[in-house]
Amino acid sequence: MRAAGVTLAIALALVLQTTLTQFLVRGTIAVDLVLVVVVYVALMSGSVTGLLAGTVAGLVQDVLSTGVVGIGGLAKTVVGFLAGIIGTQFIVARPLPRFLVFFGATLLHQTITIGLGVVLGLRPLGSPYAGVAGQALGNAVVGTAAFQLVELLPGAVERRRMAKTRLRR
Amino acid sequence: MSILEIRQHAGYLFLAVTLGHVILISAQVNSRSGVPVLEAVTFGVFAEAQRSTSKGVSGVRGFWNRYGGLRNVEKENAELKQKLEAVQVELQERRALADRARGLQELLDLRDRSKLKTTAAEIIASSASPDFRTLTIDKGTSSGLRTDMAVIAPGGVVGRIVTPSGRAAKVQLLVDRNAAAGALVERSRAQGVVKGVGETRLELEFVSEAADVAVGDLVVTSGIEGIFPKGFTIGRVDTVEKSGPAYKRITVMPAVDFSALEEVLVVLTPTPAREAAEESHE
């Protein structure tokens, strides 16, 4: 059931990424909705789910793009795995920690992506620092907002608590 | 493996997925040499494995070959020895054939040179008694041979036919103690009679004390006995001694090596003296 929800979330993020971001992006500020979903899932479900979500989402994203298939997948796998660990080892329930996690996750994601590009001799980005910073900021904002939106939904908190309780039993 | 177990081994799963991604990326990216990284890495790893395997196989093969070689070396050595012996025998046979061909060629040359009607014969046996110096040849009366026909060789006079049969004939050598032939010293034309003494040398008798004979002079047939054609080589004067008031004692070294004869020519053309004798008989 959770796998289906994660898959659906990833698919929705891909659809939104390919349709809506062109209206949202301005200048160097870009948002990777797929990465946001991966980090969100990892924070909510743990490292394994985050890892698998990152793998699937990254590979699909790579396939749909023109780059080397696997770079995005690897980056999102690492990010999902580490985000899951952070979500289980630390209390990430307030907006600021979530913002930092999304921001840091994006930095790591971009570092891995750009680093692999450099290692493999791929064409470098024009201004990586500004782009990375802008994307990290945008992802953090969108991710934090997504958390807040979900938690504000009616009964969302209760459902989340009940789910955690069942898991512990 | 349940989901719980997977969660307990998240690190392994992470490593596995990461490795999978690395492989996936490597498969798409070219190295500096233009070969895909995955292919280059895979090829490199497999090449090393192949190198190691090849070395191992080569080592085992070499050891086995050496072991097998040692096992077969004795047998091979024996075979090689047999082959060497066979080759040596064959070489000797070929050398003998060459010598025989050379001898036959010399006989042929002699026949052409003498302009006499001859027939070649092969020596098939030697004397039955050491007291007599004879040979047996493979030609007889069926080939036109008769008694007292001269037998010659490229080196000189050999002897005469003494006992012809249908397909063979006995030849009395000139060195036989019962053999004799008219002779003359080619340089001084001094005449005498060559007689065999049963040894390797001949004696030239009835040469006048006043005759000019020296060591090394060539002695040839005179043809006076009616057997040997005139002018054929008998040998060279070996020693000249004063035997008495009338004659010299002369020894002659035969020109023919009787111990090395293999083929001879039998002179079919009768000498003039023989023809005259036959006519007188008739």
Side-chain angles (χ1 to χ4, degrees), chain B residues 38-61:
Chain B
L38 180 61
E39 185 177 340
V41 172
T42 304
F43 177 73
V45 171
F46 270 81
E48 293 303 320
Q50 287 171 333
R51 188 198 310 279
S52 302
T53 306
S54 177
K55 277 188 177 179
V57 171
S58 298
V60 172
R61 182 185 297 171

Short mmCIF file of all heavy atoms in Angstrom, two decimals, chain B residues 38-61:
data_model
loop_
_atom_site.label_atom_id
_atom_site.label_comp_id
_atom_site.label_asym_id
_atom_site.label_seq_id
_atom_site.Cartn_x
_atom_site.Cartn_y
_atom_site.Cartn_z
N LEU B 38 32.48 0.93 -18.50
CA LEU B 38 32.11 -0.41 -18.03
C LEU B 38 32.84 -1.47 -18.85
O LEU B 38 33.37 -2.44 -18.31
CB LEU B 38 30.60 -0.61 -18.14
CG LEU B 38 30.08 -1.98 -17.68
CD1 LEU B 38 30.40 -2.22 -16.22
CD2 LEU B 38 28.59 -2.12 -17.94
N GLU B 39 32.85 -1.21 -20.17
CA GLU B 39 33.53 -2.17 -21.04
C GLU B 39 35.03 -2.20 -20.74
O GLU B 39 35.64 -3.28 -20.68
CB GLU B 39 33.29 -1.79 -22.50
CG GLU B 39 33.84 -2.80 -23.48
CD GLU B 39 33.52 -2.41 -24.91
OE1 GLU B 39 32.58 -1.61 -25.10
OE2 GLU B 39 34.20 -2.89 -25.82
N ALA B 40 35.57 -0.99 -20.55
CA ALA B 40 37.00 -0.93 -20.28
C ALA B 40 37.35 -1.61 -18.96
O ALA B 40 38.30 -2.39 -18.88
CB ALA B 40 37.47 0.52 -20.26
N VAL B 41 36.54 -1.29 -17.94
CA VAL B 41 36.80 -1.88 -16.63
C VAL B 41 36.58 -3.39 -16.67
O VAL B 41 37.39 -4.17 -16.19
CB VAL B 41 35.92 -1.23 -15.55
CG1 VAL B 41 36.04 -1.98 -14.23
CG2 VAL B 41 36.30 0.23 -15.38
N THR B 42 35.43 -3.75 -17.28
CA THR B 42 35.13 -5.18 -17.37
C THR B 42 36.20 -5.92 -18.16
O THR B 42 36.68 -6.98 -17.76
CB THR B 42 33.77 -5.39 -18.06
OG1 THR B 42 32.79 -4.65 -17.34
CG2 THR B 42 33.39 -6.86 -18.05
N PHE B 43 36.58 -5.29 -19.28
CA PHE B 43 37.61 -5.92 -20.10
C PHE B 43 38.93 -6.03 -19.35
O PHE B 43 39.62 -7.05 -19.42
CB PHE B 43 37.82 -5.12 -21.38
CG PHE B 43 38.92 -5.65 -22.24
CD1 PHE B 43 38.76 -6.82 -22.97
CD2 PHE B 43 40.14 -5.00 -22.31
CE1 PHE B 43 39.77 -7.31 -23.75
CE2 PHE B 43 41.17 -5.50 -23.09
CZ PHE B 43 40.98 -6.65 -23.81
N GLY B 44 39.23 -4.93 -18.61
CA GLY B 44 40.47 -4.96 -17.85
C GLY B 44 40.48 -6.06 -16.81
O GLY B 44 41.46 -6.80 -16.67
N VAL B 45 39.34 -6.15 -16.09
CA VAL B 45 39.25 -7.19 -15.05
C VAL B 45 39.32 -8.57 -15.68
O VAL B 45 40.07 -9.45 -15.23
CB VAL B 45 37.95 -7.01 -14.24
CG1 VAL B 45 37.75 -8.20 -13.31
CG2 VAL B 45 37.99 -5.71 -13.46
N PHE B 46 38.54 -8.74 -16.75
CA PHE B 46 38.54 -10.05 -17.40
C PHE B 46 39.88 -10.36 -18.03
O PHE B 46 40.30 -11.52 -18.09
CB PHE B 46 37.42 -10.13 -18.44
CG PHE B 46 36.13 -10.62 -17.87
CD1 PHE B 46 35.29 -9.76 -17.18
CD2 PHE B 46 35.76 -11.94 -18.00
CE1 PHE B 46 34.11 -10.20 -16.63
CE2 PHE B 46 34.57 -12.39 -17.45
CZ PHE B 46 33.74 -11.52 -16.77
N ALA B 47 40.53 -9.30 -18.54
CA ALA B 47 41.84 -9.52 -19.15
C ALA B 47 42.83 -10.03 -18.12
O ALA B 47 43.63 -10.94 -18.39
CB ALA B 47 42.36 -8.24 -19.79
N GLU B 48 42.77 -9.43 -16.94
CA GLU B 48 43.65 -9.91 -15.88
C GLU B 48 43.32 -11.34 -15.51
O GLU B 48 44.21 -12.17 -15.28
CB GLU B 48 43.55 -8.99 -14.66
CG GLU B 48 44.11 -7.60 -14.89
CD GLU B 48 45.55 -7.62 -15.35
OE1 GLU B 48 46.33 -8.44 -14.81
OE2 GLU B 48 45.90 -6.85 -16.25
N ALA B 49 41.98 -11.59 -15.41
CA ALA B 49 41.58 -12.96 -15.10
C ALA B 49 42.04 -13.92 -16.19
O ALA B 49 42.54 -15.02 -15.92
CB ALA B 49 40.06 -13.03 -14.95
N GLN B 50 41.89 -13.47 -17.44
CA GLN B 50 42.32 -14.33 -18.55
C GLN B 50 43.83 -14.52 -18.52
O GLN B 50 44.34 -15.61 -18.81
CB GLN B 50 41.91 -13.69 -19.88
CG GLN B 50 40.43 -13.79 -20.14
CD GLN B 50 40.03 -12.98 -21.34
OE1 GLN B 50 40.67 -12.00 -21.69
NE2 GLN B 50 38.94 -13.38 -21.97
N ARG B 51 44.54 -13.41 -18.17
CA ARG B 51 45.99 -13.53 -18.10
C ARG B 51 46.41 -14.55 -17.05
O ARG B 51 47.26 -15.40 -17.29
CB ARG B 51 46.59 -12.16 -17.76
CG ARG B 51 48.13 -12.13 -17.86
CD ARG B 51 48.69 -10.94 -17.12
NE ARG B 51 48.04 -9.70 -17.46
CZ ARG B 51 48.32 -8.97 -18.56
NH1 ARG B 51 49.25 -9.38 -19.36
NH2 ARG B 51 47.69 -7.86 -18.82
N SER B 52 45.74 -14.43 -15.88
CA SER B 52 46.07 -15.38 -14.81
C SER B 52 45.72 -16.80 -15.23
O SER B 52 46.51 -17.73 -15.03
CB SER B 52 45.31 -15.00 -13.54
OG SER B 52 45.64 -13.69 -13.15
N THR B 53 44.53 -16.93 -15.82
CA THR B 53 44.11 -18.26 -16.26
C THR B 53 45.06 -18.81 -17.31
O THR B 53 45.45 -19.99 -17.29
CB THR B 53 42.69 -18.21 -16.83
OG1 THR B 53 41.84 -17.62 -15.86
CG2 THR B 53 42.20 -19.59 -17.19
N SER B 54 45.42 -17.92 -18.26
CA SER B 54 46.33 -18.36 -19.32
C SER B 54 47.68 -18.79 -18.76
O SER B 54 48.24 -19.81 -19.18
CB SER B 54 46.52 -17.23 -20.33
OG SER B 54 47.44 -17.61 -21.31
N LYS B 55 48.16 -18.01 -17.79
CA LYS B 55 49.43 -18.37 -17.17
C LYS B 55 49.33 -19.73 -16.50
O LYS B 55 50.23 -20.57 -16.61
CB LYS B 55 49.85 -17.31 -16.17
CG LYS B 55 50.56 -16.12 -16.80
CD LYS B 55 51.10 -15.20 -15.72
CE LYS B 55 51.87 -14.05 -16.35
NZ LYS B 55 52.40 -13.11 -15.32
N GLY B 56 48.20 -19.88 -15.78
CA GLY B 56 48.02 -21.15 -15.08
C GLY B 56 47.94 -22.31 -16.05
O GLY B 56 48.60 -23.34 -15.88
N VAL B 57 47.13 -22.11 -17.10
CA VAL B 57 46.98 -23.18 -18.09
C VAL B 57 48.31 -23.46 -18.78
O VAL B 57 48.69 -24.61 -19.01
CB VAL B 57 45.90 -22.78 -19.12
CG1 VAL B 57 45.89 -23.78 -20.27
CG2 VAL B 57 44.54 -22.76 -18.45
N SER B 58 49.02 -22.36 -19.12
CA SER B 58 50.32 -22.55 -19.78
C SER B 58 51.29 -23.30 -18.88
O SER B 58 52.04 -24.17 -19.34
CB SER B 58 50.90 -21.19 -20.17
OG SER B 58 50.05 -20.54 -21.08
N GLY B 59 51.26 -22.92 -17.61
CA GLY B 59 52.13 -23.61 -16.68
C GLY B 59 51.82 -25.08 -16.58
O GLY B 59 52.71 -25.93 -16.64
N VAL B 60 50.52 -25.37 -16.45
CA VAL B 60 50.11 -26.77 -16.35
C VAL B 60 50.46 -27.51 -17.63
O VAL B 60 50.97 -28.63 -17.63
CB VAL B 60 48.60 -26.87 -16.05
CG1 VAL B 60 48.14 -28.31 -16.14
CG2 VAL B 60 48.31 -26.31 -14.67
N ARG B 61 50.18 -26.84 -18.78
CA ARG B 61 50.45 -27.47 -20.07
C ARG B 61 51.95 -27.73 -20.23
O ARG B 61 52.37 -28.78 -20.68
CB ARG B 61 49.95 -26.60 -21.20
CG ARG B 61 50.17 -27.21 -22.57
CD ARG B 61 49.76 -26.25 -23.64
NE ARG B 61 48.35 -25.94 -23.59
CZ ARG B 61 47.79 -24.99 -24.32
NH1 ARG B 61 48.51 -24.26 -25.14
NH2 ARG B 61 46.49 -24.76 -24.24
#
